[in-house]
Amino acid sequence: ARVRAALDRVDSLEGGSLWEIDELAETDRNALIERHVISRELLGERQAVKAGSAVILAGGFELESAWLTVDRLDEEIGALLPLAYHHQFGFLTACPTNVGTGLRASVLVHLPGLVLTKEISKVLEGISQVGLTYRGLYGEGSEVVGNFFQVSNQTTLGKSEADLVDHLARIVSKVIDYERSARGVLLREAPAVLEDKVWRAYGILRNARSLSYAELMNLLSGVRLGVSLKLLKSPRVETLNEILILGQTAHVERSSGGALDEDEADVCRAALVRDKLSGDEREIRDSPSAGNSSDASAADGPSSGG
């Protein structure tokens, strides 16, 4: 109650939303996980003292913008609440690895080129040697699906927030360069194989009557790669992003109006994908001047989290 009263006075949170997790339906709680608004750990909290989470997400490679937003929020909250702070160690947190700045900055990147050229292990090993770590699409403890990797700082002690953000941005920029180089290798050395993978993925998505979430993500990865390399004129990147979110199980259940078993969810997911892709094709066909303005950086621009 004390925290809620304080947050009502924080200018940065004006217009924000507050959800009582225990009061939400299970499907809605799972949808928040799929939107990266809460973690599975937060969902599992059923203690007398409830945990809370505030998340800042920014589209594109906007690490500094996300950090400045968090920094302003931190200052405003700190002026209203006595946060646990030590003059030598910095902010004291429940998890020792977060002691110090308490900052966890992440960038979500799509790296199919490095996976296909089998260079991904070398790159991931390299980032671990410079104080960064990687996770799957849903953060800590999650598997890598659809060739999406979440890269973040591993420690928060001993460096300033600005240094941590700058270091992450520089390393991720190098990873993006490696990915673009890998895509160039694929285009030069295996164009037929690459085109077959892209068009096969698009054909399955366009016509499938049943799709598991894992299959959807792998196929979307191939299509996304094809769009970024201009091997496909459609779909648009915005449509792929929409499918990536709405094709997740809890979102499929919400759009269907209730809980679904695995087979039912797979059928509904495939129908949603077909509908989105066919609608996208119609819009592009009816508006030839719009075209597809995406390029490699737009198609696979990372999203940043603070």
Side-chain angles (χ1 to χ4, degrees), residues 156-167:
T156 69
L157 182 63
K159 291 185 178 181
S160 70
E161 294 173 334
D163 288 341
L164 290 171
V165 170
D166 179 69
H167 180 62

Side-chain angles (χ1 to χ4, degrees), residues 137-167:
L137 186 63
Y138 297 106
E140 191 168 0
S142 65
E143 296 181 2
V144 174
V145 292
N147 299 319
F148 280 98
F149 296 81
Q150 189 178 130
V151 183
S152 62
N153 59 300
Q154 194 164 21
T155 59
T156 69
L157 182 63
K159 291 185 178 181
S160 70
E161 294 173 334
D163 288 341
L164 290 171
V165 170
D166 179 69
H167 180 62

Side-chain angles (χ1 to χ4, degrees), residues 100-174:
T101 63
L103 176 72
R104 182 71 65 189
S106 304
V107 181
L108 185 67
V109 284
H110 182 224
L111 307 175
L114 289 170
V115 172
L116 290 172
T117 56
K118 303 188 186 307
E119 294 290 320
I120 190 65
S121 296
K122 185 190 304 181
V123 171
L124 295 178
E125 182 180 345
I127 69 171
S128 67
Q129 294 176 353
V130 292
L132 302 181
T133 187
Y134 76 93
R135 301 176 172 89
L137 186 63
Y138 297 106
E140 191 168 0
S142 65
E143 296 181 2
V144 174
V145 292
N147 299 319
F148 280 98
F149 296 81
Q150 189 178 130
V151 183
S152 62
N153 59 300
Q154 194 164 21
T155 59
T156 69
L157 182 63
K159 291 185 178 181
S160 70
E161 294 173 334
D163 288 341
L164 290 171
V165 170
D166 179 69
H167 180 62
L168 177 61
R170 284 189 288 107
I171 299 303
V172 170
S173 293
K174 291 182 180 179

Side-chain angles (χ1 to χ4, degrees), residues 180-246:
R180 287 175 172 155
S181 177
R183 295 182 185 192
V185 170
L186 290 171
L187 281 172
R188 290 193 306 273
E189 299 184 5
V193 174
L194 181 60
E195 285 195 40
D196 181 71
K197 178 179 179 61
V198 167
W199 280 98
R200 191 181 295 272
Y202 185 65
I204 295 175
L205 286 179
R206 189 69 179 79
N207 297 284
R209 262 50 186 175
S210 177
L211 282 172
S212 68
Y213 177 65
E215 185 179 15
L216 169 66
M217 290 300 295
N218 287 327
L219 293 170
L220 277 178
S221 177
V223 173
R224 194 180 189 94
L225 177 61
V227 170
S228 70
L229 294 176
K230 302 191 184 302
L231 299 176
L232 293 172
K233 293 184 178 179
S234 67
R236 292 169 296 187
V237 175
E238 293 81 4
T239 302
L240 294 177
N241 291 341
E242 191 175 5
I243 292 173
L244 187 150
I245 297 297
L246 298 182

